[in-house]
Amino acid sequence: MRKNEQGKKQYEEISRQSKWEFGNSRPKKLSIHNTMTDNNAEFGLPPQEQLEIQKPWLAKIDEMFNSYRKYQPKQYLINYFLNTNFDFEIYDFYAYNLTLDAIHYFQAGITQKKKDFNVDYFRCLRKIFMMIPEHTKVVFQREFVNEWQYYPTDYAPYFEFTIERFEETLVKLLDYIDNNYDRVDKGAIDEFRFGLLMSPATVLLKLFARVIKNPSMIGVTLFLCRSVDQLFYDRPLKMYHNELETEKVEPLLAVVFRRIVCNCRCEETSDWEWDNLGKLAIELCRGEKPLFNSWLLLEVVLNEIYSPNRIPTKSVEMLTELAADILAPENQTPMILKFATSVMTKPEEKLLLTPTIIDMLLKLMSEYNQKSVNIVNNCKRILKGLSVRMREQNVEFDEETREFILELLTSMPWWVEYTICTWFDALNVEKRRIPEVVFNIIETNEKFRVIKSDLPIADEDVPVAYLRSITQLGLFDAESVLELLHTNTSLNFERFEHFDLTEIMKKILEQCYLKEMGMSQVDNVQIVVMKILEVFDNSSIEDHEDITRWIACSLSLTASIPTEDVPKWTHDIKKSIVIPQLVEPKEERISWPEPAPVSKQQLGAEIRKLRAEQRQKREENTRLAVARLERIYDEHRAHWVASGEVIEAWGCPTITHNIPILGAKTRKRGY
């Protein structure tokens, strides 16, 4: 093998490094003096007898790699390496050099004219990976990812096609891990690591599909992913995308999460499996060094919520819950996303188009009102989390955006508009709108504007109408209603002497709870009832607590949560889209003078001229496209094929991995 005059100490220093920098430059191979004695143990070396066995073996392997490099592979050397059982672990110094050789000749190894040699090369790689010590496996993984990512095309589908029995081996391996998730053998772990290196997206997709059916595998899944950490920790990877995905360079887990959501929507996935997928996503984001940054997961989740592929309802429930959990105060991960402040802001890296997201969430709340309590509540949590994060960054919307969002809110129930204006300082609302019956009762109304009532309210009905409005707001957001209840009003205990306040509150709650948008949280019921009794009832606190508990219990028995009979899966999957800006900028309109009269002959000549120009433009575009394809083809051949050799299929063949997602197997049942 190639050697230089660097010493053993330098190698040991390099091998002790736990992390490796990524880059295109190849590390230098190391050399060691051959004058080893039987005192090897003093230097931490294997016995001299083992080294003497490995030296001639390594010389043959070096000769095999050189034959691949010259595009004249020697079959007898390949057979010697693959068919002989070598019962030893390669000495780490030799293993380091062998690893660099294997990766250095990788291009030649998989582009031989005869396919059998390409298959054998992957078999050689696998055997080397199994024989090298653990810290050299880390080097192997790092160098392979660099080699794979160097090329502009993701060749993982080609690797799957070339590796012997790739899919069959992967299925057997996953069966074993599924049945032995608490005691996986080291050999199986190394097999999985090698497969994950060769085709990260496919292997993870199949692994995650097992996890959502058996959540006990989450622990071993995290361990397996961390064992090949060169693929994770938010490193953007050039990945293959199918026709339903946006061609975005992003981390591996972002691609895989989108694909598994899409696959689950194409199949009859149970509610329990959707919940397990949400748990897996959260676990990937946990720990001091999470495999997936929760803020990047939020970007993916919001895009999947925005997508037109919103079947089944359970998928939207899971995704909105994920987004709400990420934005919750409990998530202490430093914020890496910024917020758009204008409806015209275009999509950018690590930028949340806040106006579009607010618009989306408000529409979701309307769409799923009376259909999914969970989605409406999750949207509320997302909006509140966004408002808190924006307040932390002192974000304010521009005037156009502010007016746009306030206009959207006027079409929502008043308690939704009031709460959103309270939460979002970015809207800079000086006076929030409240119903006329509340406006007329409060004594300090400088902070509010009135919403005119369509029907007049009789004086004797004012107290009940006031309590109804207060309850509507309180059931949506208890904190917002406390502000109003602490505001002095013209109502007092005497106005309620002729009413049975307990019966009134019970009747109002029966009319509102689970009947109006966002009024579905029992905790809010108890807070609102307790506060109203405190303000307008003279009895003791103990009585208030008993009344509150009684009303809450009666509601849980009498109120029913509305359900919706929806399809559990769909074939009608649309192409994924990135969340767009909310408003396209308008072009300035120029006033042109009235055109002079044109004869039919002149008009016909102009039309023919225009069509000729359009045809010429099309032909020019076609010529440029063909030239571009030829250039790309030549570049790939320069990278992947030896000079003078002829190879028919240098790219990615059509295999299972490249079949459109609509070809996935699903239940043959209509909806």
Side-chain angles (χ1 to χ4, degrees):
M1 305 180 78
R2 302 190 311 275
K3 299 182 182 291
N4 57 38
E5 294 304 321
Q6 299 177 11
K8 176 176 177 293
K9 288 185 178 179
Q10 181 181 357
Y11 168 71
E12 290 177 345
E13 179 63 27
I14 293 176
S15 65
R16 279 197 297 267
Q17 296 177 4
S18 60
K19 297 180 182 178
W20 301 82
E21 296 297 328
F22 293 100
N24 290 329
S25 59
R26 298 186 183 278
K28 294 181 179 179
K29 294 176 61 180
L30 307 176
S31 66
I32 190 169
H33 298 295
N34 293 326
T35 57
M36 297 182 183
T37 67
D38 291 335
N39 297 324
N40 288 358
E42 297 181 16
F43 301 99
L45 302 176
Q48 184 66 25
E49 182 181 351
Q50 288 189 22
L51 292 178
E52 293 301 328
I53 293 174
Q54 292 186 25
K55 284 178 188 177
W57 175 81
L58 286 166
K60 290 185 178 181
I61 305 306
D62 188 43
E63 186 180 352
M64 178 188 73
F65 282 140
N66 279 318
S67 69
Y68 263 100
R69 183 183 62 177
K70 297 174 182 177
Y71 283 82
Q72 295 176 347
K74 295 182 178 180
Q75 189 66 58
Y76 75 94
L77 290 174
I78 297 172
N79 293 339
Y80 164 75
F81 178 55
L82 291 176
N83 299 332
T84 306
N85 184 21
F86 303 105
D87 189 19
F88 57 80
E89 180 180 79
I90 306 173
Y91 169 46
D92 52 7
F93 169 74
Y94 293 155
Y96 179 81
N97 282 342
L98 180 59
T99 293
L100 296 188
D101 269 341
I103 304 302
H104 182 66
Y105 300 139
F106 178 78
Q107 173 182 319
I110 65 171
T111 56
Q112 298 295 319
K113 186 175 180 180
K114 189 177 178 182
K115 178 189 170 185
D116 291 345
F117 288 131
N118 301 331
V119 174
D120 286 342
Y121 193 84
F122 275 109
R123 293 173 65 198
C124 292
L125 280 185
R126 176 194 165 277
K127 189 163 186 176
I128 289 172
F129 188 78
M130 297 302 169
M131 294 180 68
I132 57 180
E134 177 58 33
H135 61 267
T136 313
K137 282 184 171 68
V138 174
V139 179
F140 186 104
Q141 292 170 177
R142 179 199 71 196
E143 293 303 318
F144 182 81
V145 172
N146 282 344
E147 184 75 17
W148 167 56
Q149 284 293 294
Y150 174 78
Y151 301 98
T153 303
D154 174 16
Y155 284 93
Y158 172 73
F159 300 160
E160 291 179 31
F161 178 75
T162 310
I163 295 174
E164 191 175 41
R165 297 190 300 275
F166 177 83
E167 188 171 353
E168 177 187 340
T169 303
L170 179 59
V171 170
K172 290 181 179 178
L173 189 57
L174 290 174
D175 286 342
Y176 169 77
I177 296 173
D178 199 343
N179 296 323
N180 301 275
Y181 55 83
D182 55 345
R183 55 183 187 280
V184 182
D185 180 75
K186 185 180 184 303
I189 292 173
D190 289 344
E191 287 280 6
F192 183 88
R193 292 167 69 180
F194 183 77
L196 187 59
L197 275 177
M198 298 301 118
S199 186
T202 295
V203 172
L204 277 188
L205 199 60
K206 291 185 180 295
L207 174 63
F208 288 177
R210 298 294 187 103
V211 172
I212 64 175
K213 297 180 186 302
N214 180 10
S216 299
M217 292 176 63
I218 289 179
V220 70
T221 296
L222 298 176
F223 174 80
L224 291 170
C225 290
R226 290 194 172 97
S227 68
V228 194
D229 60 358
Q230 293 79 6
L231 293 170
F232 300 94
Y233 303 125
D234 304 328
R235 181 188 182 187
L237 296 177
K238 288 174 284 191
M239 304 292 297
Y240 164 80
H241 293 82
N242 62 44
E243 73 279 7
L244 292 175
E245 298 174 331
T246 56
E247 296 185 6
K248 226 178 135 184
V249 177
E250 55 188 350
L252 170 63
L253 286 173
V255 176
V256 172
F257 188 78
R258 279 200 181 94
R259 287 183 186 172
I260 195 167
V261 168
C262 184
N263 285 357
C264 289
R265 282 171 164 163
C266 290
E267 301 170 355
E268 193 168 359
T269 305
S270 68
D271 290 358
W272 182 69
E273 290 170 342
W274 280 111
D275 289 335
N276 291 337
L277 179 56
K279 291 175 185 176
L280 172 62
I282 288 294
E283 290 302 320
L284 291 169
C285 297
R286 290 192 190 280
E288 293 182 3
K289 189 180 180 183
L291 290 162
F292 196 16
N293 189 293
S294 57
W295 301 112
L296 296 182
L297 174 61
L298 178 66
E299 280 192 300
V300 175
V301 166
L302 290 174
N303 274 279
E304 290 306 309
I305 296 172
Y306 188 86
S307 166
N309 307 317
R310 288 205 293 273
I311 290 178
T313 300
K314 182 61 183 178
S315 69
V316 186
E317 289 182 356
M318 183 274 290
L319 292 168
T320 51
E321 184 176 1
L322 263 182
D325 289 343
I326 293 170
L327 285 163
E330 292 78 20
N331 183 10
Q332 298 297 316
T333 308
M335 186 81 172
I336 65 171
L337 302 176
K338 295 182 180 180
F339 300 100
T341 59
S342 171
V343 290
M344 294 187 185
T345 303
K346 295 182 179 180
E348 293 179 14
E349 188 77 15
K350 297 182 181 178
L351 176 72
L352 290 181
L353 294 185
T354 329
T356 310
I357 294 169
I358 293 173
D359 175 60
M360 172 188 73
L361 295 171
L362 292 174
K363 288 177 179 175
L364 276 180
M365 291 170 68
S366 298
E367 178 182 346
Y368 289 97
N369 185 33
Q370 301 297 306
K371 295 179 182 178
S372 172
V373 169
N374 291 334
I375 292 177
V376 175
N377 286 337
N378 289 339
C379 287
K380 284 166 53 179
R381 291 176 57 207
I382 297 171
L383 286 166
K384 190 168 187 178
L386 277 175
S387 69
V388 172
R389 302 288 177 176
M390 292 178 71
R391 195 179 308 130
E392 290 172 354
Q393 296 188 16
N394 297 317
V395 177
E396 284 193 10
F397 293 126
D398 61 28
E399 189 62 26
E400 181 182 11
T401 305
R402 176 177 170 275
E403 291 177 0
F404 193 101
I405 295 176
L406 291 177
E407 183 67 25
L408 290 174
L409 290 170
T410 56
S411 63
M412 306 290 289
W414 81 270
W415 54 88
V416 177
E417 176 188 351
Y418 183 94
T419 302
I420 300 301
C421 291
T422 302
W423 286 345
F424 280 90
D425 290 352
L427 289 172
N428 197 21
V429 176
E430 296 180 3
K431 292 187 176 184
R432 289 158 292 171
R433 301 198 314 154
I434 56 177
E436 187 175 6
V437 66
V438 180
F439 186 85
N440 292 336
I441 287 176
I442 61 177
E443 295 179 352
T444 54
N445 52 22
E446 293 83 3
K447 297 187 295 184
F448 307 103
R449 290 189 298 130
V450 65
I451 302 174
K452 288 290 185 180
S453 177
D454 295 333
L455 298 173
I457 301 174
D459 188 59
E460 62 271 15
D461 296 332
V462 166
V464 176
Y466 170 81
L467 289 181
R468 174 186 288 277
S469 295
I470 290 295
T471 304
Q472 288 173 332
L473 176 60
L475 290 180
F476 187 80
D477 182 54
E479 292 181 11
S480 294
V481 83
L482 293 180
E483 178 190 4
L484 277 179
L485 284 172
H486 281 104
T487 303
N488 292 331
T489 67
S490 58
L491 291 177
N492 51 36
F493 294 120
E494 287 75 16
R495 292 292 298 271
F496 289 94
E497 285 182 349
H498 304 294
F499 297 98
D500 185 339
L501 196 54
T502 302
E503 283 299 320
I504 290 175
M505 287 306 304
K506 185 174 182 298
K507 186 176 294 185
I508 289 174
L509 286 167
E510 287 175 351
Q511 293 171 350
C512 296
Y513 182 67
L514 293 176
K515 304 296 193 299
E516 301 282 353
M517 183 185 292
M519 300 181 183
S520 54
Q521 291 172 282
V522 176
D523 292 344
N524 284 4
V525 171
Q526 298 184 26
I527 294 171
V528 173
V529 173
M530 192 72 179
K531 188 62 183 178
I532 288 176
L533 292 175
E534 178 187 327
V535 174
F536 298 112
D537 187 71
N538 269 327
S539 55
S540 66
I541 294 177
E542 290 78 10
D543 292 339
H544 295 165
E545 291 175 347
D546 291 340
I547 294 170
T548 301
R549 279 195 296 269
W550 175 73
I551 291 178
C553 291
S554 64
L555 279 176
S556 62
L557 294 173
T558 59
S560 61
I561 299 176
T563 58
E564 182 192 17
D565 184 19
V566 295
K568 294 291 185 183
W569 59 281
T570 179
H571 275 304
D572 189 22
I573 294 292
K574 306 291 193 304
K575 182 177 175 62
S576 296
I577 52 177
V578 176
I579 294 180
Q581 63 206 75
L582 197 55
V583 175
E584 290 285 345
K586 295 179 181 178
E587 297 182 1
E588 275 190 44
R589 294 190 177 182
I590 303 174
S591 298
W592 296 97
E594 287 293 328
V598 180
S599 66
K600 288 185 178 181
Q601 291 80 4
Q602 289 176 317
L603 185 59
E606 288 292 332
I607 291 174
R608 288 192 296 274
K609 180 181 178 183
L610 178 61
R611 288 176 178 171
E613 291 175 352
Q614 291 173 340
R615 183 172 60 256
Q616 185 178 358
K617 185 66 175 175
R618 287 197 302 272
E619 291 172 353
E620 175 65 14
N621 288 339
T622 302
R623 187 188 64 78
L624 292 174
V626 170
R628 179 176 176 272
L629 287 175
E630 290 177 348
R631 186 175 68 255
I632 292 174
Y633 179 83
D634 291 340
E635 288 176 359
H636 279 287
R637 286 190 62 83
H639 281 302
W640 288 86
V641 183
S643 176
E645 295 289 342
V646 177
I647 188 166
E648 295 179 358
W650 56 269
C652 303
T654 303
I655 59 170
T656 306
H657 185 93
N658 283 339
I659 291 177
I661 202 68
L662 297 181
K665 293 182 180 179
T666 57
R667 293 281 295 274
K668 295 182 179 179
R669 180 168 66 83
Y671 61 87

